[in-house]
Amino acid sequence: MPELPEVETVRRGLDKWVSGRRIATVEVLHPRAIRRHLPGAVHFADVLAGRLVGAVQRRGKYLWLPLDDEDALVGHLGMSGQLLMQPVEAPAEIHLRVRFSFDDDGPELRFVDQRTFGGLAVSSGGAVLPAELTHIALDPVDPSFSDDAFVEHLRRRRTDVKRALLDQTLISGVGNIYADEALWRAKLHGARQTDQLSRPVVRRLLGHVRDVLNEAIGQGGTSFDALYVNVNGESGYFDRSLNAYGREGEPCGRCGSPIRREAFMNRSSYSCPRCQPRPRIPAARTPR
DNA sequence: CCTCATTCCTGCGGGC
DNA sequence: TGCCCGCAGGAATGAG
């Protein structure tokens, strides 16, 4: 499940392996992988052939390869997407969706994606910031991220704090895993209402979000299975550091209470029943 | 402008 | 042995 640390790990690998190289040919093996590229697969391949790749960029869970002539190749890994560097002669992966060769005949770039939630698209004139990403908020690792603006914005919302953390237009890069980890560190239940949290509490929570993301980046991300890997096909090992996510029934690292799992937004939330008590009024929705 | 539910997709594992 | 179902879940989309 690639979130910011996993995408950043991929970005670093891509930057090392494809920046400065010129794309030769592009082969689209599954149309769904380029569904966001409205002109279609033939145009996608044609417009990328011969383009020089610049320094690889990232915002939240999106990454993009700036191209000469100010366009950009935008990518999102979705649930199971991988961007892999492979020797040209390596056999095709089962879920290989798009393949890029380079004019130096070196290793090729492959987009592999089992569940096809991810995708690639060419953004016209999007080298600095692709138009497809303008609605995505800065991520907390970005030097331009404003902590003050985030605190005010979140407190003006009327929703659960976990929903807010997952809202990419409010803060980007946080997914289910790191939301649960940050909430555990902040000793907050995800169902707490955003408009009832004090500024210091929100600020502290943001600090934990940033810490957990940075620590995970330092360890090459989290991986529970082979679905998430870096460009060399290796898994990160931050999962050894997880305190809440996926640990149902295991003792809380602070108080020893068994970690609980609750349904939330058609997925799972993990938390400590003692450190993170459920709010007394789960969803008191008073008309304004 | 919000807020929220729905939808996309496939492999895996549990239950019967 | 094999089938069915639920689960994993990021983000676009549209309704209200």
Side-chain angles (χ1 to χ4, degrees), chain A residues 41 44 66 71 117 124 135-136 139-140 153 192 223 239 247 285:
Chain A
F44 180 84
D71 293 343
F117 274 44
S124 299
H135 68 294
I136 301 293
D139 60 65
H153 197 174
R192 295 282 295 271
S223 182
D239 48 324
R247 299 195 63 233
R285 208 51 14 131

Side-chain angles (χ1 to χ4, degrees), chain A residues 40-83:
Chain A
V42 172
H43 179 269
F44 180 84
D46 287 350
V47 81
L48 286 171
R51 309 296 286 275
L52 184 65
V53 178
V56 184
Q57 309 292 309
R58 181 190 56 73
R59 175 182 283 202
K61 305 171 197 170
Y62 280 92
L63 45 77
W64 70 96
L65 282 56
L67 307 168
D68 46 352
D69 300 331
E70 304 304 317
D71 293 343
L73 171 60
V74 183
H76 195 291
L77 301 178
M79 289 295 304
S80 54
Q82 305 173 348
L83 285 164

Side-chain angles (χ1 to χ4, degrees), chain A residues 36-178:
Chain A
R36 304 276 172 214
H37 187 80
L38 302 182
V42 172
H43 179 269
F44 180 84
D46 287 350
V47 81
L48 286 171
R51 309 296 286 275
L52 184 65
V53 178
V56 184
Q57 309 292 309
R58 181 190 56 73
R59 175 182 283 202
K61 305 171 197 170
Y62 280 92
L63 45 77
W64 70 96
L65 282 56
L67 307 168
D68 46 352
D69 300 331
E70 304 304 317
D71 293 343
L73 171 60
V74 183
H76 195 291
L77 301 178
M79 289 295 304
S80 54
Q82 305 173 348
L83 285 164
L84 303 173
M85 301 308 302
Q86 291 280 38
V88 177
E89 64 273 15
E93 292 78 3
I94 296 174
H95 302 295
L96 178 62
R97 309 305 191 193
V98 186
R99 179 205 300 260
F100 302 82
S101 72
F102 294 86
D103 70 353
D104 54 19
D105 295 325
E108 59 180 34
L109 173 63
R110 297 181 179 183
F111 181 63
V112 177
D113 190 8
Q114 178 200 107
R115 292 177 220 174
T116 67
F117 274 44
L120 305 175
V122 177
S123 178
S124 299
V128 176
L129 180 67
E132 294 83 350
L133 274 66
T134 52
H135 68 294
I136 301 293
L138 293 178
D139 60 65
V141 172
D142 191 311
S144 299
F145 185 91
S146 166
D147 289 22
D148 290 337
F150 170 76
V151 171
E152 298 311 313
H153 197 174
L154 181 139
R155 293 179 75 249
R156 278 198 296 273
R157 288 289 181 87
R158 289 176 60 85
T159 189
D160 300 351
V161 65
K162 180 164 176 178
R163 275 182 187 278
L165 289 181
L166 296 176
D167 184 344
Q168 305 297 302
T169 68
L170 185 61
I171 180 171
S172 69
V174 182
N176 203 35
I177 299 172
Y178 296 109

